[in-house]
Amino acid sequence: MTQCYALVLGSFCLLITSCDKNISDSSADLFEDGSSELARQAVSLCAERGAQTLTLRDKVGPDLLPGIARLSKLTSLEIYQANFQPNLLAEFQTLSDLRVLRLEDLPLADENVQYFRHLPNIEILNLPACRLTDRGVIELLKYLPKLE
């Protein structure tokens, strides 16, 4: 059975799942044990508690992005296994207070940089394994003037 934990301490929320599959893969129609639903409920709990920091340690698919986008007080978002297309970053346009963003395993390329234009307060950006060229980085810097 897959386990999904949401640890909420003050404004910090850590969602940990133990699962062999993507916790929010819409093509999976929820797993037999309901892990996708558990993940959505955990993100909802984070929203209810006004979480400012969200760390997702398991694969995050497109199903969870609308829930994450509702975390209006979020200042730090870390997704360690981003299993969605970069164009879905448009979902994050509501996260105007976001200061720290880490997206691992996201196939980000130059043509996707435009999705950062709604996140001008980003100060720390970590995009390991992205495919940005120098041109993409220069364009990204135009959208994120506060990068350290």
Side-chain angles (χ1 to χ4, degrees):
M1 178 176 204
T2 299
Q3 297 177 352
C4 181
Y5 303 96
L7 173 63
V8 182
L9 300 170
S11 64
F12 177 80
C13 182
L14 174 62
L15 176 63
I16 302 174
T17 62
S18 173
C19 183
D20 292 337
K21 299 180 182 179
N22 185 333
I23 59 174
S24 64
D25 187 350
S26 58
S27 64
D29 294 326
L30 297 180
F31 304 123
E32 299 76 20
D33 55 304
S35 62
S36 183
E37 181 59 28
L38 286 173
R40 282 194 289 277
Q41 289 176 7
V43 169
S44 290
L45 175 63
C46 294
E48 289 172 18
R49 299 280 178 99
Q52 293 179 330
T53 300
L54 177 61
T55 302
L56 298 160
R57 296 274 180 194
D58 207 344
K59 293 179 184 175
V60 173
D63 289 20
L64 280 183
L65 300 183
I68 294 169
R70 288 193 304 268
L71 297 168
S72 60
K73 296 180 181 179
L74 212 56
T75 59
S76 177
L77 174 61
E78 296 180 75
I79 299 177
Y80 282 86
Q81 293 182 46
N83 193 22
F84 54 87
Q85 292 303 309
N87 64 321
L88 294 177
L89 288 172
E91 294 273 352
F92 294 160
Q93 66 184 336
T94 58
L95 304 178
S96 59
D97 291 337
L98 203 58
R99 306 273 187 274
V100 177
L101 180 60
R102 177 186 181 94
L103 298 169
E104 283 194 11
D105 298 330
L106 186 69
L108 188 71
D110 291 352
E111 61 270 13
N112 308 121
V113 169
Q114 64 177 320
Y115 300 111
F116 288 90
R117 71 179 176 269
H118 298 292
L119 302 171
N121 292 315
I122 296 287
E123 297 170 359
I124 299 172
L125 180 65
N126 192 337
L127 301 169
C130 74
R131 296 177 284 185
L132 292 178
T133 66
D134 291 346
R135 183 180 65 91
V137 172
I138 290 169
E139 189 70 20
L140 185 63
L141 291 173
K142 290 179 189 175
Y143 294 129
L144 306 176
K146 295 181 180 181
L147 271 182
E148 293 179 353

PDB file of all heavy atoms in Angstrom, residues 56-91:
ATOM      1  N   LEU A  56       8.030  18.798  -2.291  1.00  0.00           N
ATOM      2  CA  LEU A  56       7.438  17.568  -2.795  1.00  0.00           C
ATOM      3  C   LEU A  56       8.567  16.637  -3.201  1.00  0.00           C
ATOM      4  O   LEU A  56       9.342  16.951  -4.110  1.00  0.00           O
ATOM      5  CB  LEU A  56       6.525  17.864  -3.981  1.00  0.00           C
ATOM      6  CG  LEU A  56       5.344  18.770  -3.629  1.00  0.00           C
ATOM      7  CD1 LEU A  56       4.763  19.414  -4.858  1.00  0.00           C
ATOM      8  CD2 LEU A  56       4.285  18.003  -2.880  1.00  0.00           C
ATOM      9  N   ARG A  57       8.677  15.506  -2.520  1.00  0.00           N
ATOM     10  CA  ARG A  57       9.811  14.601  -2.707  1.00  0.00           C
ATOM     11  C   ARG A  57       9.550  13.488  -3.709  1.00  0.00           C
ATOM     12  O   ARG A  57      10.470  12.813  -4.098  1.00  0.00           O
ATOM     13  CB  ARG A  57      10.178  13.960  -1.356  1.00  0.00           C
ATOM     14  CG  ARG A  57      10.655  14.954  -0.354  1.00  0.00           C
ATOM     15  CD  ARG A  57      12.109  15.177  -0.539  1.00  0.00           C
ATOM     16  NE  ARG A  57      12.588  16.139   0.439  1.00  0.00           N
ATOM     17  CZ  ARG A  57      13.747  16.717   0.353  1.00  0.00           C
ATOM     18  NH1 ARG A  57      14.553  16.459  -0.636  1.00  0.00           N
ATOM     19  NH2 ARG A  57      14.114  17.583   1.252  1.00  0.00           N
ATOM     20  N   ASP A  58       8.315  13.234  -4.088  1.00  0.00           N
ATOM     21  CA  ASP A  58       8.030  12.160  -5.028  1.00  0.00           C
ATOM     22  C   ASP A  58       7.605  12.777  -6.353  1.00  0.00           C
ATOM     23  O   ASP A  58       7.429  13.984  -6.468  1.00  0.00           O
ATOM     24  CB  ASP A  58       6.929  11.256  -4.472  1.00  0.00           C
ATOM     25  CG  ASP A  58       7.006   9.836  -5.010  1.00  0.00           C
ATOM     26  OD1 ASP A  58       7.699   9.617  -6.019  1.00  0.00           O
ATOM     27  OD2 ASP A  58       6.373   8.954  -4.418  1.00  0.00           O
ATOM     28  N   LYS A  59       7.405  11.932  -7.364  1.00  0.00           N
ATOM     29  CA  LYS A  59       7.028  12.421  -8.687  1.00  0.00           C
ATOM     30  C   LYS A  59       5.757  13.253  -8.610  1.00  0.00           C
ATOM     31  O   LYS A  59       4.788  12.860  -7.989  1.00  0.00           O
ATOM     32  CB  LYS A  59       6.823  11.252  -9.641  1.00  0.00           C
ATOM     33  CG  LYS A  59       8.093  10.514  -9.940  1.00  0.00           C
ATOM     34  CD  LYS A  59       7.826   9.355 -10.866  1.00  0.00           C
ATOM     35  CE  LYS A  59       9.103   8.575 -11.084  1.00  0.00           C
ATOM     36  NZ  LYS A  59       8.844   7.373 -11.882  1.00  0.00           N
ATOM     37  N   VAL A  60       5.789  14.399  -9.249  1.00  0.00           N
ATOM     38  CA  VAL A  60       4.642  15.297  -9.270  1.00  0.00           C
ATOM     39  C   VAL A  60       4.192  15.456 -10.715  1.00  0.00           C
ATOM     40  O   VAL A  60       4.936  15.954 -11.554  1.00  0.00           O
ATOM     41  CB  VAL A  60       5.000  16.673  -8.676  1.00  0.00           C
ATOM     42  CG1 VAL A  60       3.850  17.648  -8.861  1.00  0.00           C
ATOM     43  CG2 VAL A  60       5.350  16.528  -7.215  1.00  0.00           C
ATOM     44  N   GLY A  61       2.985  15.005 -10.983  1.00  0.00           N
ATOM     45  CA  GLY A  61       2.427  15.108 -12.319  1.00  0.00           C
ATOM     46  C   GLY A  61       1.491  16.294 -12.431  1.00  0.00           C
ATOM     47  O   GLY A  61       1.308  17.066 -11.484  1.00  0.00           O
ATOM     48  N   PRO A  62       0.871  16.453 -13.585  1.00  0.00           N
ATOM     49  CA  PRO A  62       0.035  17.629 -13.851  1.00  0.00           C
ATOM     50  C   PRO A  62      -1.189  17.762 -12.959  1.00  0.00           C
ATOM     51  O   PRO A  62      -1.680  18.867 -12.757  1.00  0.00           O
ATOM     52  CB  PRO A  62      -0.360  17.473 -15.316  1.00  0.00           C
ATOM     53  CG  PRO A  62      -0.043  16.081 -15.688  1.00  0.00           C
ATOM     54  CD  PRO A  62       0.987  15.575 -14.741  1.00  0.00           C
ATOM     55  N   ASP A  63      -1.681  16.665 -12.381  1.00  0.00           N
ATOM     56  CA  ASP A  63      -2.877  16.736 -11.534  1.00  0.00           C
ATOM     57  C   ASP A  63      -2.690  17.621 -10.311  1.00  0.00           C
ATOM     58  O   ASP A  63      -3.638  18.236  -9.839  1.00  0.00           O
ATOM     59  CB  ASP A  63      -3.261  15.347 -11.012  1.00  0.00           C
ATOM     60  CG  ASP A  63      -3.806  14.444 -12.088  1.00  0.00           C
ATOM     61  OD1 ASP A  63      -3.560  14.718 -13.270  1.00  0.00           O
ATOM     62  OD2 ASP A  63      -4.476  13.470 -11.735  1.00  0.00           O
ATOM     63  N   LEU A  64      -1.498  17.664  -9.759  1.00  0.00           N
ATOM     64  CA  LEU A  64      -1.272  18.417  -8.523  1.00  0.00           C
ATOM     65  C   LEU A  64      -1.055  19.909  -8.754  1.00  0.00           C
ATOM     66  O   LEU A  64      -1.145  20.695  -7.825  1.00  0.00           O
ATOM     67  CB  LEU A  64      -0.057  17.860  -7.769  1.00  0.00           C
ATOM     68  CG  LEU A  64      -0.293  16.604  -6.957  1.00  0.00           C
ATOM     69  CD1 LEU A  64       0.965  16.214  -6.201  1.00  0.00           C
ATOM     70  CD2 LEU A  64      -1.443  16.757  -5.999  1.00  0.00           C
ATOM     71  N   LEU A  65      -0.764  20.297  -9.982  1.00  0.00           N
ATOM     72  CA  LEU A  65      -0.415  21.700 -10.232  1.00  0.00           C
ATOM     73  C   LEU A  65      -1.528  22.685  -9.886  1.00  0.00           C
ATOM     74  O   LEU A  65      -1.248  23.725  -9.290  1.00  0.00           O
ATOM     75  CB  LEU A  65       0.064  21.877 -11.673  1.00  0.00           C
ATOM     76  CG  LEU A  65       1.304  21.049 -12.037  1.00  0.00           C
ATOM     77  CD1 LEU A  65       1.744  21.359 -13.460  1.00  0.00           C
ATOM     78  CD2 LEU A  65       2.429  21.268 -11.060  1.00  0.00           C
ATOM     79  N   PRO A  66      -2.795  22.423 -10.211  1.00  0.00           N
ATOM     80  CA  PRO A  66      -3.844  23.371  -9.791  1.00  0.00           C
ATOM     81  C   PRO A  66      -3.905  23.540  -8.273  1.00  0.00           C
ATOM     82  O   PRO A  66      -4.128  24.644  -7.774  1.00  0.00           O
ATOM     83  CB  PRO A  66      -5.133  22.754 -10.338  1.00  0.00           C
ATOM     84  CG  PRO A  66      -4.689  21.923 -11.492  1.00  0.00           C
ATOM     85  CD  PRO A  66      -3.344  21.365 -11.077  1.00  0.00           C
ATOM     86  N   GLY A  67      -3.700  22.454  -7.528  1.00  0.00           N
ATOM     87  CA  GLY A  67      -3.691  22.545  -6.067  1.00  0.00           C
ATOM     88  C   GLY A  67      -2.532  23.376  -5.559  1.00  0.00           C
ATOM     89  O   GLY A  67      -2.684  24.201  -4.656  1.00  0.00           O
ATOM     90  N   ILE A  68      -1.369  23.166  -6.149  1.00  0.00           N
ATOM     91  CA  ILE A  68      -0.197  23.948  -5.770  1.00  0.00           C
ATOM     92  C   ILE A  68      -0.431  25.419  -6.089  1.00  0.00           C
ATOM     93  O   ILE A  68      -0.076  26.296  -5.302  1.00  0.00           O
ATOM     94  CB  ILE A  68       1.063  23.419  -6.484  1.00  0.00           C
ATOM     95  CG1 ILE A  68       1.392  22.012  -5.978  1.00  0.00           C
ATOM     96  CG2 ILE A  68       2.249  24.355  -6.283  1.00  0.00           C
ATOM     97  CD1 ILE A  68       2.455  21.292  -6.791  1.00  0.00           C
ATOM     98  N   ALA A  69      -1.059  25.687  -7.218  1.00  0.00           N
ATOM     99  CA  ALA A  69      -1.320  27.071  -7.628  1.00  0.00           C
ATOM    100  C   ALA A  69      -2.243  27.798  -6.648  1.00  0.00           C
ATOM    101  O   ALA A  69      -2.241  29.026  -6.587  1.00  0.00           O
ATOM    102  CB  ALA A  69      -1.915  27.103  -9.034  1.00  0.00           C
ATOM    103  N   ARG A  70      -3.022  27.053  -5.857  1.00  0.00           N
ATOM    104  CA  ARG A  70      -3.915  27.668  -4.863  1.00  0.00           C
ATOM    105  C   ARG A  70      -3.188  28.051  -3.577  1.00  0.00           C
ATOM    106  O   ARG A  70      -3.783  28.654  -2.687  1.00  0.00           O
ATOM    107  CB  ARG A  70      -5.080  26.735  -4.554  1.00  0.00           C
ATOM    108  CG  ARG A  70      -6.090  26.641  -5.675  1.00  0.00           C
ATOM    109  CD  ARG A  70      -7.384  25.981  -5.236  1.00  0.00           C
ATOM    110  NE  ARG A  70      -7.190  24.671  -4.659  1.00  0.00           N
ATOM    111  CZ  ARG A  70      -7.228  23.522  -5.329  1.00  0.00           C
ATOM    112  NH1 ARG A  70      -7.451  23.534  -6.618  1.00  0.00           N
ATOM    113  NH2 ARG A  70      -7.047  22.376  -4.720  1.00  0.00           N
ATOM    114  N   LEU A  71      -1.927  27.713  -3.474  1.00  0.00           N
ATOM    115  CA  LEU A  71      -1.152  28.043  -2.273  1.00  0.00           C
ATOM    116  C   LEU A  71      -0.650  29.478  -2.397  1.00  0.00           C
ATOM    117  O   LEU A  71       0.529  29.746  -2.622  1.00  0.00           O
ATOM    118  CB  LEU A  71       0.016  27.066  -2.109  1.00  0.00           C
ATOM    119  CG  LEU A  71      -0.385  25.606  -1.904  1.00  0.00           C
ATOM    120  CD1 LEU A  71       0.809  24.697  -2.032  1.00  0.00           C
ATOM    121  CD2 LEU A  71      -1.047  25.428  -0.558  1.00  0.00           C
ATOM    122  N   SER A  72      -1.535  30.410  -2.237  1.00  0.00           N
ATOM    123  CA  SER A  72      -1.260  31.816  -2.531  1.00  0.00           C
ATOM    124  C   SER A  72      -0.176  32.440  -1.650  1.00  0.00           C
ATOM    125  O   SER A  72       0.417  33.452  -2.028  1.00  0.00           O
ATOM    126  CB  SER A  72      -2.545  32.637  -2.418  1.00  0.00           C
ATOM    127  OG  SER A  72      -3.058  32.542  -1.103  1.00  0.00           O
ATOM    128  N   LYS A  73       0.092  31.865  -0.491  1.00  0.00           N
ATOM    129  CA  LYS A  73       1.111  32.432   0.407  1.00  0.00           C
ATOM    130  C   LYS A  73       2.484  31.786   0.217  1.00  0.00           C
ATOM    131  O   LYS A  73       3.424  32.094   0.946  1.00  0.00           O
ATOM    132  CB  LYS A  73       0.668  32.269   1.857  1.00  0.00           C
ATOM    133  CG  LYS A  73      -0.596  33.041   2.168  1.00  0.00           C
ATOM    134  CD  LYS A  73      -1.018  32.861   3.597  1.00  0.00           C
ATOM    135  CE  LYS A  73      -2.303  33.646   3.854  1.00  0.00           C
ATOM    136  NZ  LYS A  73      -2.770  33.488   5.212  1.00  0.00           N
ATOM    137  N   LEU A  74       2.594  30.909  -0.771  1.00  0.00           N
ATOM    138  CA  LEU A  74       3.821  30.161  -0.976  1.00  0.00           C
ATOM    139  C   LEU A  74       4.993  31.086  -1.328  1.00  0.00           C
ATOM    140  O   LEU A  74       4.891  31.919  -2.212  1.00  0.00           O
ATOM    141  CB  LEU A  74       3.604  29.166  -2.121  1.00  0.00           C
ATOM    142  CG  LEU A  74       4.351  27.855  -2.077  1.00  0.00           C
ATOM    143  CD1 LEU A  74       4.074  27.102  -0.790  1.00  0.00           C
ATOM    144  CD2 LEU A  74       3.984  27.004  -3.271  1.00  0.00           C
ATOM    145  N   THR A  75       6.082  30.935  -0.593  1.00  0.00           N
ATOM    146  CA  THR A  75       7.303  31.688  -0.889  1.00  0.00           C
ATOM    147  C   THR A  75       8.423  30.757  -1.349  1.00  0.00           C
ATOM    148  O   THR A  75       9.401  31.220  -1.932  1.00  0.00           O
ATOM    149  CB  THR A  75       7.789  32.491   0.335  1.00  0.00           C
ATOM    150  OG1 THR A  75       8.046  31.595   1.414  1.00  0.00           O
ATOM    151  CG2 THR A  75       6.759  33.540   0.739  1.00  0.00           C
ATOM    152  N   SER A  76       8.280  29.451  -1.078  1.00  0.00           N
ATOM    153  CA  SER A  76       9.304  28.487  -1.476  1.00  0.00           C
ATOM    154  C   SER A  76       8.625  27.210  -1.961  1.00  0.00           C
ATOM    155  O   SER A  76       7.791  26.644  -1.269  1.00  0.00           O
ATOM    156  CB  SER A  76      10.227  28.177  -0.298  1.00  0.00           C
ATOM    157  OG  SER A  76      11.170  27.190  -0.653  1.00  0.00           O
ATOM    158  N   LEU A  77       9.005  26.780  -3.167  1.00  0.00           N
ATOM    159  CA  LEU A  77       8.459  25.571  -3.753  1.00  0.00           C
ATOM    160  C   LEU A  77       9.602  24.723  -4.287  1.00  0.00           C
ATOM    161  O   LEU A  77      10.403  25.187  -5.094  1.00  0.00           O
ATOM    162  CB  LEU A  77       7.489  25.907  -4.891  1.00  0.00           C
ATOM    163  CG  LEU A  77       6.933  24.734  -5.699  1.00  0.00           C
ATOM    164  CD1 LEU A  77       6.135  23.778  -4.810  1.00  0.00           C
ATOM    165  CD2 LEU A  77       6.064  25.250  -6.843  1.00  0.00           C
ATOM    166  N   GLU A  78       9.672  23.481  -3.800  1.00  0.00           N
ATOM    167  CA  GLU A  78      10.687  22.541  -4.266  1.00  0.00           C
ATOM    168  C   GLU A  78       9.987  21.277  -4.734  1.00  0.00           C
ATOM    169  O   GLU A  78       9.264  20.652  -3.963  1.00  0.00           O
ATOM    170  CB  GLU A  78      11.667  22.196  -3.149  1.00  0.00           C
ATOM    171  CG  GLU A  78      12.475  23.380  -2.679  1.00  0.00           C
ATOM    172  CD  GLU A  78      13.434  22.995  -1.570  1.00  0.00           C
ATOM    173  OE1 GLU A  78      14.454  22.346  -1.878  1.00  0.00           O
ATOM    174  OE2 GLU A  78      13.138  23.333  -0.415  1.00  0.00           O
ATOM    175  N   ILE A  79      10.188  20.925  -6.000  1.00  0.00           N
ATOM    176  CA  ILE A  79       9.640  19.707  -6.564  1.00  0.00           C
ATOM    177  C   ILE A  79      10.822  18.889  -7.053  1.00  0.00           C
ATOM    178  O   ILE A  79      11.535  19.294  -7.965  1.00  0.00           O
ATOM    179  CB  ILE A  79       8.660  20.005  -7.716  1.00  0.00           C
ATOM    180  CG1 ILE A  79       7.482  20.838  -7.195  1.00  0.00           C
ATOM    181  CG2 ILE A  79       8.177  18.709  -8.355  1.00  0.00           C
ATOM    182  CD1 ILE A  79       6.487  21.244  -8.261  1.00  0.00           C
ATOM    183  N   TYR A  80      11.044  17.749  -6.428  1.00  0.00           N
ATOM    184  CA  TYR A  80      12.237  16.957  -6.707  1.00  0.00           C
ATOM    185  C   TYR A  80      12.094  15.999  -7.877  1.00  0.00           C
ATOM    186  O   TYR A  80      13.083  15.498  -8.372  1.00  0.00           O
ATOM    187  CB  TYR A  80      12.691  16.217  -5.441  1.00  0.00           C
ATOM    188  CG  TYR A  80      13.409  17.153  -4.511  1.00  0.00           C
ATOM    189  CD1 TYR A  80      12.720  17.937  -3.597  1.00  0.00           C
ATOM    190  CD2 TYR A  80      14.785  17.301  -4.587  1.00  0.00           C
ATOM    191  CE1 TYR A  80      13.374  18.828  -2.769  1.00  0.00           C
ATOM    192  CE2 TYR A  80      15.451  18.190  -3.764  1.00  0.00           C
ATOM    193  CZ  TYR A  80      14.734  18.937  -2.855  1.00  0.00           C
ATOM    194  OH  TYR A  80      15.397  19.836  -2.047  1.00  0.00           O
ATOM    195  N   GLN A  81      10.885  15.722  -8.308  1.00  0.00           N
ATOM    196  CA  GLN A  81      10.690  14.892  -9.495  1.00  0.00           C
ATOM    197  C   GLN A  81       9.517  15.475 -10.284  1.00  0.00           C
ATOM    198  O   GLN A  81       8.399  14.990 -10.193  1.00  0.00           O
ATOM    199  CB  GLN A  81      10.426  13.441  -9.111  1.00  0.00           C
ATOM    200  CG  GLN A  81      11.622  12.767  -8.465  1.00  0.00           C
ATOM    201  CD  GLN A  81      11.334  11.317  -8.150  1.00  0.00           C
ATOM    202  OE1 GLN A  81      10.803  10.589  -8.964  1.00  0.00           O
ATOM    203  NE2 GLN A  81      11.700  10.906  -6.941  1.00  0.00           N
ATOM    204  N   ALA A  82       9.799  16.521 -11.036  1.00  0.00           N
ATOM    205  CA  ALA A  82       8.763  17.187 -11.824  1.00  0.00           C
ATOM    206  C   ALA A  82       8.438  16.326 -13.041  1.00  0.00           C
ATOM    207  O   ALA A  82       9.246  16.206 -13.951  1.00  0.00           O
ATOM    208  CB  ALA A  82       9.239  18.573 -12.253  1.00  0.00           C
ATOM    209  N   ASN A  83       7.268  15.739 -13.039  1.00  0.00           N
ATOM    210  CA  ASN A  83       6.864  14.843 -14.113  1.00  0.00           C
ATOM    211  C   ASN A  83       5.713  15.486 -14.885  1.00  0.00           C
ATOM    212  O   ASN A  83       4.610  14.959 -14.929  1.00  0.00           O
ATOM    213  CB  ASN A  83       6.465  13.481 -13.538  1.00  0.00           C
ATOM    214  CG  ASN A  83       6.337  12.427 -14.612  1.00  0.00           C
ATOM    215  OD1 ASN A  83       6.905  12.550 -15.679  1.00  0.00           O
ATOM    216  ND2 ASN A  83       5.571  11.395 -14.325  1.00  0.00           N
ATOM    217  N   PHE A  84       5.989  16.669 -15.436  1.00  0.00           N
ATOM    218  CA  PHE A  84       5.000  17.376 -16.231  1.00  0.00           C
ATOM    219  C   PHE A  84       5.746  18.208 -17.268  1.00  0.00           C
ATOM    220  O   PHE A  84       6.949  18.405 -17.175  1.00  0.00           O
ATOM    221  CB  PHE A  84       4.083  18.246 -15.364  1.00  0.00           C
ATOM    222  CG  PHE A  84       4.797  19.214 -14.468  1.00  0.00           C
ATOM    223  CD1 PHE A  84       5.155  20.475 -14.915  1.00  0.00           C
ATOM    224  CD2 PHE A  84       5.099  18.864 -13.158  1.00  0.00           C
ATOM    225  CE1 PHE A  84       5.813  21.366 -14.079  1.00  0.00           C
ATOM    226  CE2 PHE A  84       5.755  19.744 -12.314  1.00  0.00           C
ATOM    227  CZ  PHE A  84       6.104  21.009 -12.772  1.00  0.00           C
ATOM    228  N   GLN A  85       5.027  18.668 -18.258  1.00  0.00           N
ATOM    229  CA  GLN A  85       5.641  19.454 -19.319  1.00  0.00           C
ATOM    230  C   GLN A  85       5.842  20.896 -18.851  1.00  0.00           C
ATOM    231  O   GLN A  85       5.016  21.439 -18.111  1.00  0.00           O
ATOM    232  CB  GLN A  85       4.783  19.416 -20.580  1.00  0.00           C
ATOM    233  CG  GLN A  85       4.741  18.046 -21.224  1.00  0.00           C
ATOM    234  CD  GLN A  85       6.142  17.554 -21.570  1.00  0.00           C
ATOM    235  OE1 GLN A  85       6.932  18.250 -22.203  1.00  0.00           O
ATOM    236  NE2 GLN A  85       6.466  16.343 -21.135  1.00  0.00           N
ATOM    237  N   PRO A  86       6.920  21.537 -19.286  1.00  0.00           N
ATOM    238  CA  PRO A  86       7.216  22.902 -18.837  1.00  0.00           C
ATOM    239  C   PRO A  86       6.122  23.925 -19.121  1.00  0.00           C
ATOM    240  O   PRO A  86       5.974  24.880 -18.369  1.00  0.00           O
ATOM    241  CB  PRO A  86       8.492  23.252 -19.612  1.00  0.00           C
ATOM    242  CG  PRO A  86       9.128  21.954 -19.909  1.00  0.00           C
ATOM    243  CD  PRO A  86       7.993  20.991 -20.125  1.00  0.00           C
ATOM    244  N   ASN A  87       5.315  23.713 -20.162  1.00  0.00           N
ATOM    245  CA  ASN A  87       4.250  24.678 -20.445  1.00  0.00           C
ATOM    246  C   ASN A  87       3.237  24.757 -19.306  1.00  0.00           C
ATOM    247  O   ASN A  87       2.533  25.750 -19.150  1.00  0.00           O
ATOM    248  CB  ASN A  87       3.550  24.359 -21.763  1.00  0.00           C
ATOM    249  CG  ASN A  87       2.833  23.029 -21.734  1.00  0.00           C
ATOM    250  OD1 ASN A  87       3.319  22.044 -21.176  1.00  0.00           O
ATOM    251  ND2 ASN A  87       1.670  22.994 -22.346  1.00  0.00           N
ATOM    252  N   LEU A  88       3.186  23.732 -18.456  1.00  0.00           N
ATOM    253  CA  LEU A  88       2.264  23.751 -17.320  1.00  0.00           C
ATOM    254  C   LEU A  88       2.748  24.661 -16.196  1.00  0.00           C
ATOM    255  O   LEU A  88       2.032  24.876 -15.222  1.00  0.00           O
ATOM    256  CB  LEU A  88       2.022  22.332 -16.812  1.00  0.00           C
ATOM    257  CG  LEU A  88       1.288  21.425 -17.804  1.00  0.00           C
ATOM    258  CD1 LEU A  88       1.161  20.017 -17.255  1.00  0.00           C
ATOM    259  CD2 LEU A  88      -0.083  21.983 -18.142  1.00  0.00           C
ATOM    260  N   LEU A  89       3.937  25.222 -16.337  1.00  0.00           N
ATOM    261  CA  LEU A  89       4.396  26.231 -15.374  1.00  0.00           C
ATOM    262  C   LEU A  89       3.470  27.445 -15.376  1.00  0.00           C
ATOM    263  O   LEU A  89       3.451  28.218 -14.421  1.00  0.00           O
ATOM    264  CB  LEU A  89       5.822  26.677 -15.688  1.00  0.00           C
ATOM    265  CG  LEU A  89       6.922  25.667 -15.380  1.00  0.00           C
ATOM    266  CD1 LEU A  89       8.251  26.158 -15.930  1.00  0.00           C
ATOM    267  CD2 LEU A  89       7.016  25.430 -13.887  1.00  0.00           C
ATOM    268  N   ALA A  90       2.696  27.604 -16.427  1.00  0.00           N
ATOM    269  CA  ALA A  90       1.715  28.698 -16.484  1.00  0.00           C
ATOM    270  C   ALA A  90       0.742  28.616 -15.312  1.00  0.00           C
ATOM    271  O   ALA A  90       0.196  29.640 -14.887  1.00  0.00           O
ATOM    272  CB  ALA A  90       0.966  28.672 -17.812  1.00  0.00           C
ATOM    273  N   GLU A  91       0.534  27.417 -14.770  1.00  0.00           N
ATOM    274  CA  GLU A  91      -0.333  27.238 -13.594  1.00  0.00           C
ATOM    275  C   GLU A  91       0.171  28.052 -12.401  1.00  0.00           C
ATOM    276  O   GLU A  91      -0.597  28.418 -11.529  1.00  0.00           O
ATOM    277  CB  GLU A  91      -0.399  25.766 -13.185  1.00  0.00           C
ATOM    278  CG  GLU A  91      -1.066  24.862 -14.172  1.00  0.00           C
ATOM    279  CD  GLU A  91      -2.567  24.778 -13.981  1.00  0.00           C
ATOM    280  OE1 GLU A  91      -3.085  25.309 -12.980  1.00  0.00           O
ATOM    281  OE2 GLU A  91      -3.206  24.179 -14.845  1.00  0.00           O
TER     282      GLU A  91
END
